[in-house]
Structures are given as C-alpha cells and as structure tokens.
Amino acid sequence: ALITLRQLLDHAAENGYGVPSFNINNMEQVHAIMEAAAEVDSPVILQVSAGARKYAGAYFIRHLVQAAVEQWPDIPIVLHQDHGADPGVCARSIQSGFTSVMMDGSLMPDMKTPSTYEYNVEVTSKVTEMAHACGVSVEGELGCLGSLEKGVTDKGEAIDKEKLLTDPEQAADFVKKTKVDALAVAIGTSHGAYKFTKPPTGEILAIDRIKEIHARIPDTHLVMHGSSSVPQEWVEIINQYGGDIGTPYGVPVEEIVEGIRHGVRKVNIDTDLRLASTGAMRKFLAENPKQFDPRKIFAAATAAMKDICKARYEAFGCAGQA
Ligand code: G3H
Ligand code: 13P
Ligand code: NA
Ligand code: ZN
C-alpha cells in the first residue's frame, strides 16, 4: 500500500533504521527494487525526478508504481517526488497521487543557482502548507550539494564553501519556520558518479556535520542526497567491457550507516543502479554476442540492480521492517 514519507520515517526513527530512496524511470528498476524488498521484507521509497517524468511520462510512472502496489500488497511504498524546482511542480505531483514531495529551495527554479535563505523558507513553507492540507509529506533542503574537494556546486559552479555544509543553527530555524517532515542536508556529497577523486575522508565527506545537526534537531528526519557508493567492481566491469568512465569514488556504505546512527532516515540512490545495470548489460552483451532478445539483456540488469538493493536494505537496517 502507498504510505506517506512521514509515516515511514517516524517508524524508521523509532526503530533506528534508514531507508534507501531509489530513483525510478523504468520497469526493470521497479522490479529490482520491489523484488529485493519482498525478499528481505523491507519498506520502499520510490522517487521520481523531473528527468524521469520526462523520460517515461507522468502516466507511465504513476501506473508503474500502481502496478508495484498491486503486485506487492504487503510492502509499504512511499511515492516521492525528487527535487521539485518550484511549488507548482509539487502541486502537480500532489494532484497525480504522490504521497511525498521534495521542494528543493536550496536552488533557484533553474536548479543551478544557489538561492537565498529567505527564498528557501518562503517557497518551502508554501509547499508544506499546501501538501499538509492534502495529507502529503514534504522534504526540504538546506545547504547546497557540491564538492568540498573542489569548492563547486553539483552543477560545477563556484560557491562559498560554507554553503556546502548545512549550518545546524540555521537548520533548526528552517525546520521551525517551514514545518518540513524531512530535511536534506549538505555534507560534501554531490549527484552522479564523480563525487570524490579519491576514497573520501572526513575532510571532504563531513559525516560529523550530520552529528552536529542531529544533536541540534534530534526530532527531524535527515536525508542524505548523492549517496551512491559507486561500487568499484561495477566501475571496473564497465571499463573492462568497452566503457570509459574513469575511476570515480562515492560515499562508502559504512559512512552512510554512521549517518543512520545520527538521524539519517532517507538515503537517496540513483547512480549505483545506473552503474550496475550498465555494467551488467555491457558484460552480458560481450559474453553473449549472438543474443539479441532485449529481455535477456534487461534481465541481467535487473539481477545486478536487485543485488545492490538487497545489500542497501540490509546495511541500512530496514530489512525485516516492512
Ligand atoms: O537528483 C538526481 C537524480 O539522480 C535524478 O537524476 O535528473 O538525471 O533524472 P536525473
Ligand atoms: P546519486 O547520484 O549519488 O545516486 O544521488 C541520487 C540523489 O540524490 C537523487 O536525489
Ligand atoms: Na528527494
Ligand atoms: Zn538529490
């Protein structure tokens, strides 16, 4: 059944676990995420970006998720809109049946330019007022994703290093003013595979900042974006079978687990499933040159994604919690 993000994260906080929030845009991803959840008895968050809506179309997304609800009636599922650019985007998601929306007011509607604090409070409050009236949860974001190593935003623009780390005192004021159900924080992670040029230390991945924020606002559910771990085995397989993606580094699973000990309840993952599916398809095609049934190729991708999902459900403690 569909539940709200607030319902799920309240349960996660009471029981001390975190939940991966996987991005979806096709059937194979939904199968992988749901089959893995059914095997380990985990609740699920399916999140949809603007790019996903554009790729699949809003109707197909809605019905893919509805199919999952029907096929796995015993698994609680949150349908979450990722990175809403403005209140209008969130309103349309509420209308189309999402149970949770993210208003990303850390950026201007161009989703590139860092915003002011006042702007963020204003647009996020507008969304919570509207969403809560409809029984829908809201995630806000304070601080900008980006690289502490390079001093640039997610989109590669120069930024004040202090905006790359969420300020605990400002977080307390933000939550009080906006009434968000969950807060995404900036701790040096960024979207995509190229988060760090080397395995990250505390200098460039500030898990300690999570602890400071959680100490200040212990009742707020924290969200980590850009939380793919970028498995080295999949990077190697992609490069070995014709890909050329360099040697990127992600967020180690054990660092995320440390975050979960300090209030992180939702962990956004997109890139890891992209890497696993691409790696599995490249390898399958190289090893089966006579095969041209796409179902066989996609099945290899689904199996690879499913392994990652199961590993995250188990590591984050949500296995057994559905
Ligand atoms: O927020 C970033 C997610 O990984 C979605 O990416 O905009 O390419 O769909 P996308
Ligand atoms: P990754 O690119 O690390 O998977 O992050 C996804 C994300 O934060 C979506 O909102
Ligand atoms: Na989100
Ligand atoms: Zn994100």
Side-chain angles (χ1 to χ4, degrees):
L2 281 186
I3 64 168
T4 68
L5 186 68
R6 184 74 199 213
Q7 287 174 300
L8 177 54
L9 299 193
D10 282 351
H11 186 262
E14 277 159 31
N15 295 279
Y17 65 89
V19 188
S21 185
F22 294 114
N23 286 80
I24 58 153
N25 56 62
N26 72 23
M27 182 185 77
E28 285 72 17
Q29 294 163 335
V30 175
H31 281 174
I33 295 161
M34 295 306 303
E35 285 170 14
E39 281 178 27
V40 303
D41 194 31
S42 176
V44 166
I45 307 172
L46 300 175
Q47 66 182 5
V48 181
S49 71
R53 273 192 300 272
K54 192 165 174 221
Y55 174 77
Y59 297 108
F60 278 86
I61 296 273
R62 177 145 60 90
H63 288 278
L64 270 176
V65 174
Q66 189 52 39
V69 168
E70 289 177 28
Q71 183 153 348
W72 290 278
D74 298 332
I75 299 184
I77 304 175
V78 175
L79 174 54
H80 175 80
Q81 173 224 269
D82 201 15
H83 293 283
D86 60 53
V89 169
C90 297
R92 290 189 288 281
S93 294
I94 293 167
Q95 259 186 327
S96 81
F98 281 67
T99 59
S100 177
V101 295
M102 177 189 191
M103 176 64 233
D104 185 355
S106 74
L107 299 171
M108 296 304 287
D110 66 5
M111 295 309 268
K112 249 169 51 180
T113 315
S115 66
T116 64
Y117 180 67
E118 292 67 31
Y119 167 86
N120 196 353
V121 169
E122 186 190 321
V123 289
T124 307
S125 303
K126 199 178 269 183
V127 171
T128 48
E129 193 175 328
M130 175 171 76
H132 287 170
C134 305
V136 168
S137 304
V138 178
E139 173 184 333
E141 173 161 330
L142 182 63
C144 291
L145 293 202
S147 166
L148 292 164
E149 219 177 340
K150 298 178 187 154
V152 295
T153 67
D154 215 26
K155 305 290 175 318
E157 309 206 347
I159 185 173
D160 275 352
K161 281 215 177 183
E162 73 178 31
K163 278 208 160 185
L164 294 176
L165 287 173
T166 303
D167 176 67
E169 206 47 52
Q170 197 173 53
D173 186 65
F174 187 79
V175 169
K176 190 168 156 223
K177 285 187 173 138
T178 62
K179 303 183 173 66
V180 289
D181 299 285
L183 181 68
V185 294
I187 58 162
T189 71
S190 50
H191 292 118
Y194 304 94
K195 302 179 197 306
F196 310 108
T197 61
K198 55 189 183 219
T201 58
E203 304 281 289
I204 54 176
L205 173 61
I207 292 292
D208 282 348
R209 184 55 68 111
I210 299 247
K211 300 178 188 174
E212 293 163 25
I213 299 166
H214 183 57
R216 182 66 185 80
I217 44 172
D219 297 332
T220 299
H221 305 311
L222 304 180
V223 182
M224 279 175 64
H225 281 247
S227 292
S228 277
S229 301
V230 188
Q232 293 306 295
E233 58 271 29
W234 283 119
V235 169
E236 278 162 27
I237 286 172
I238 290 172
N239 286 332
Q240 183 185 340
Y241 291 97
D244 182 13
I245 63 169
T247 52
Y249 291 92
V251 183
V253 170
E254 56 274 20
E255 298 292 338
I256 299 170
V257 169
E258 181 69 0
I260 291 169
R261 287 193 198 103
H262 297 275
V264 170
R265 302 294 162 223
K266 174 172 178 282
V267 180
N268 286 14
I269 299 174
D270 186 349
T271 299
D272 279 353
L273 299 192
R274 296 183 185 193
L275 291 169
S277 62
T278 293
M281 289 192 289
R282 282 193 177 279
K283 184 165 189 281
F284 182 88
L285 285 166
E287 290 175 348
N288 298 275
K290 297 190 196 306
Q291 184 56 255
F292 58 84
D293 181 345
R295 291 173 298 185
K296 298 288 192 316
I297 304 165
F298 296 156
T302 302
M305 291 190 285
K306 190 173 157 184
D307 283 348
I308 300 240
C309 296
K310 270 172 92 167
R312 298 296 179 273
Y313 293 137
E314 275 158 2
F316 299 171
C318 51
Q321 297 286 352

